[in-house]
Amino acid sequence: MSARTNLERAAESLMRYLSVVPEDLMRHTGIGEKDFVPVEPQPFEGRIFAVDGSNIEVYDLSVVKANRIRAGYVVYRGRRRERTVVTYDDLFVADRRAYVDWFREPLERLNIDIDLSGLRGSELERLSTYFRELQEYVALDAALSEAEEGDLLLYDGGFVIWKDRPFGRIVAEIIKRASERGVDLLGVSKSSSMSWGEISMPLVYHLSRLGKSLLPGRAWYVDLSGKNVHPDPQEERWQGSIYMVLFHPTGDRAFRVDIPSYMQGHAASALSKAAAFSGSSESPGYPHALFRAHHDLKLSSHDGEMSRFRVMDAMAARCHVSMRELRSAMDYHEILEIAG
């Protein structure tokens, strides 16, 4: 018998993560049939706000990197899109030492003072990610300022992980403002590293499969509080809950949803509002407002190329830098990509 190829070995190894006996999942996690709670769609008269952001590299000079950042939100009333609001669409220059001035303006817009010294020495990509996240929080705050009591505000991302990070105070303040305004706030993650078992079994995938078998033709949610999953949602990193939610019966997968503590007692109602508008043929099972925000605010490779040309023109006009000089300063990976 011939030896297995690495491709075959990899395929067999990956199948371990996708194949599971439901009884093993329930026994190990403590999640049982009773934990899958049906979600009934609940159309409402308020508005839905969905916040997202995007980031694309423009120039990489090895020790400094320029990225174009875009953030904003879309506004829906029912199934009707009212408008898209872009709160930031500009360049950001990441430098491990000189970065504070770039962060100061968005922090002033949020009226929050943050000690940024902890960012010093961060990887350039991490700095760009932090800046994009900060601009998303500016967009969240702008949408929140417009929202009224009973409206639904959806954020593309989670809230838990930022508790102990530089902008944890900003997340806490936004949650506080949402509570004071009576706005329902949900953090919906497109991907999740939550797992279960002695190896890292993908929790979203397995719960999606289990829930669809237990409640066929229904939307549902599972509250992960007290369950044996990783990372432990009971860690004291924030005051709130983590749910897994299948927003629509036609959806292929559930989504991780972070729900602040002030919504305890009416989380199911907020999920029902989102579920009512998650059946679009463009994105079955995903809140349509978030789908639209992703596509309206996404930066394409063409956007990156156009920004690169504009920067090049500006450097030539103001600093008399030739293209040859600029190319000699660029990371050679980028030169090869441009040449290809």
Side-chain angles (χ1 to χ4, degrees), residues 59 312 315-317 319-329:
Y59 273 114
M312 188 189 310
M315 292 178 70
C319 307
H320 307 292
V321 175
S322 69
M323 181 58 190
R324 184 173 183 176
E325 291 173 311
L326 182 57
R327 285 170 65 92
S328 69

Side-chain angles (χ1 to χ4, degrees), residues 257-274:
V257 180
D258 292 359
I259 302 181
S261 59
Y262 77 87
M263 293 176 58
Q264 186 176 6
H266 68 281
S269 174
L271 294 174
S272 295
K273 293 177 181 178

Side-chain angles (χ1 to χ4, degrees), residues 148 150-154 178 182-186 262-263 266 269-271 273:
E148 299 175 345
D151 285 345
L152 177 63
L153 178 52
L154 304 175
V183 175
D184 290 336
L185 176 62
L186 302 177
Y262 77 87
M263 293 176 58
H266 68 281
S269 174
L271 294 174
K273 293 177 181 178

Side-chain angles (χ1 to χ4, degrees), residues 79-133:
R79 290 179 171 80
R80 180 170 60 87
R81 183 172 71 89
E82 294 187 341
R83 67 190 184 284
T84 297
V85 179
V86 177
T87 53
Y88 187 88
D89 188 356
D90 214 331
L91 295 181
F92 166 72
V93 176
D95 181 305
R96 294 181 182 87
R97 296 179 178 84
Y99 57 85
V100 173
D101 287 345
W102 291 91
F103 285 85
R104 183 172 291 121
E105 189 273 338
L107 287 173
E108 289 175 352
R109 287 187 64 179
L110 290 168
N111 195 28
I112 298 178
D113 184 30
I114 298 289
D115 180 9
L116 296 171
S117 61
L119 300 184
R120 186 175 297 276
S122 296
E123 296 177 358
L124 299 181
E125 290 185 3
R126 180 61 61 88
L127 276 174
S128 297
T129 297
Y130 283 150
F131 190 77
R132 189 199 71 205
E133 294 283 352

Side-chain angles (χ1 to χ4, degrees), residues 272-306:
S272 295
K273 293 177 181 178
F277 305 104
S278 299
S280 166
S281 60
E282 293 177 292
S283 58
Y286 187 58
H288 186 72
L290 281 173
F291 168 85
R292 180 50 51 202
H294 173 81
H295 284 276
D296 283 4
L297 298 167
K298 178 177 63 176
L299 288 165
S300 66
S301 58
H302 175 72
D303 293 321
E305 291 171 1
M306 294 305 298

Side-chain angles (χ1 to χ4, degrees), residues 31 35-37 207 220-224 227 242-245:
I31 297 172
D35 293 306
F36 288 83
V37 181
L207 278 188
W220 48 260
Y221 70 79
V222 174
D223 184 352
L224 296 180
K227 304 305 180 183
I242 302 175
Y243 283 40
M244 286 294 175
V245 184

